[in-house]
């Protein structure tokens, strides 16, 4: 299993997500670093865990449409490739983000968040723009999809995932925001199993609520090929040896 650390950006700082309640997000207090600067956190992830990639949620872009390009560059300069969620709602926005990345010389891949996406057709267009490499994030809260797309509001998470896959998605994040930062485990295990059973080719990434090595093993056994982790790294509940253990190929 591949472990992807999460960096949530807000007002130039790395913040700790709590149940998706963004008004409660505050700069992180971490055992890894002395401050909440993006460059400090990114450097610690590289130095202490040898991570190569980070999921970056630019909350300023998601909430207000203001991209934190300075912070993107700092994270990339520390040696991390970005999986970047910048609140992309359509293909025009995606083109602008791609252009910004090229201008800044940043190595990143786009994350398309369900909560931001304005239509299924725009998902198809973004996947075509990205040669089907964009990562679709199935954003849910307490099991309920977070979407502004009317025709998807009555669908289950599994049905929305099937729609996304039919529109060119082959890399999919399952993220239950209700579990983020709550240290009580993840509730997406059955959804992971169902997706793996129905779509064996899928690169399946799970996030939200990971506490320790046992949670990572449970996600791997449920079919997840990667996991998003943040609080457990900062709190010391996942150590470098744990990451090495779960990342090692099977004998």
């Amino acid at each position: 299993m591949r472990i992807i650390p999460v960096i949530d950006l807000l007002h130039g700082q790395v913040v700790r997500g709590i149940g998706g309640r963004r008004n409660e997000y505050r700069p992180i207090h971490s055992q890894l670093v002395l401050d909440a600067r993006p460059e400090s956190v990114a450097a610690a992830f590289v130095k202490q865990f040898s991570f190569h990639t980070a999921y970056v949620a630019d909350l300023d872009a998601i909430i207000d449409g203001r991209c934190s390009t300075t912070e993107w560059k700092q994270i990339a300069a520390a040696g991390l490739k970005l999986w970047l969620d910048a609140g992309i709602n359509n293909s025009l926005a995606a083109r602008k983000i791609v252009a910004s990345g090229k201008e800044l010389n940043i190595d990143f891949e786009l994350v398309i968040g369900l909560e931001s996406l304005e239509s299924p057709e725009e998902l198809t267009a973004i996947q075509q723009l990205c040669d089907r490499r964009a990562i679709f994030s199935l954003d849910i809260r307490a099991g309920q999809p977070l979407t502004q797309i009317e025709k998807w509001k009555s669908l289950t998470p599994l049905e929305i995932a099937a729609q996304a896959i039919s529109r060119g998605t082959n890399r999919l994040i399952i993220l239950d925001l209700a579990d983020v930062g709550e240290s009580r485990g993840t509730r997406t295990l059955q959804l992971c199993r169902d997706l793996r059973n129905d779509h064996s080719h899928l690169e399946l990434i799970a996030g939200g609520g990971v506490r320790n090595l046992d949670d990572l093993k449970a996600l791997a056994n449920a079919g997840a090929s990667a996991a998003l982790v943040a609080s457990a790294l900062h709190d010391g509940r996942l150590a470098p040896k744990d990451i090495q253990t779960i990342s090692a190929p099977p004998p």
Side-chain angles (χ1 to χ4, degrees), residues 12 43 90 100 106 113 117 119 179:
N90 56 41
S100 294
I106 293 174
L117 185 67
S119 74
D179 294 332

Side-chain angles (χ1 to χ4, degrees), residues 57-244:
D58 185 344
L59 296 172
D60 289 305
I62 293 170
I63 297 169
D64 296 324
R66 296 181 294 105
C67 293
S68 305
T69 53
T70 298
E71 287 74 23
W72 302 354
K73 196 164 185 177
Q74 291 170 349
I75 294 167
L80 290 171
K81 179 176 184 176
L82 281 64
W83 285 2
L84 180 61
D85 184 349
I88 294 168
N89 57 351
N90 56 41
S91 55
L92 177 60
R95 288 182 186 278
K96 291 179 179 178
I97 297 296
V98 169
S100 294
K102 289 180 178 178
E103 184 177 335
L104 295 167
N105 196 27
I106 293 174
D107 186 14
F108 72 93
E109 294 178 312
L110 291 182
V111 174
I112 311 164
L114 174 61
E115 67 169 319
S116 301
L117 185 67
E118 67 180 35
S119 74
E121 293 74 22
E122 288 297 340
L123 175 57
T124 303
I126 296 168
Q127 287 293 7
Q128 290 173 346
L129 173 68
C130 298
D131 294 325
R132 296 168 60 102
R133 293 296 298 166
I135 307 164
F136 178 70
S137 180
L138 180 55
D139 302 325
I140 55 181
R141 180 180 284 120
Q144 298 302 310
L146 296 174
T147 181
Q148 58 181 309
I149 302 172
E150 286 298 328
K151 66 178 74 173
W152 282 7
K153 287 182 178 180
S154 61
L155 301 183
T156 66
L158 194 61
E159 289 169 335
I160 292 175
Q163 289 278 334
I165 291 165
S166 73
R167 291 180 175 275
T169 293
N170 52 40
R171 309 172 73 199
L172 188 143
I173 292 170
I174 304 171
L175 181 61
D176 196 317
L177 292 172
D179 294 332
V180 169
E182 299 286 7
S183 301
R184 61 189 178 198
T186 177
R187 71 188 78 195
T188 59
L189 293 175
Q190 187 57 51
L191 184 54
C192 286
R193 295 187 192 100
D194 292 340
L195 281 167
R196 178 56 66 213
N197 288 336
D198 293 344
H199 308 281
S200 60
H201 70 284
L202 192 66
E203 182 179 347
L204 183 58
I205 305 120
V210 172
R211 299 165 294 186
N212 49 38
L213 182 58
D214 286 341
D215 282 344
L216 291 176
K217 290 178 178 178
L219 286 171
N221 289 335
S225 46
L228 304 179
V229 183
S231 298
L233 298 173
H234 293 295
D235 296 346
R237 287 174 284 127
L238 279 172
K241 63 179 177 59
D242 298 318
I243 303 303
Q244 293 170 4

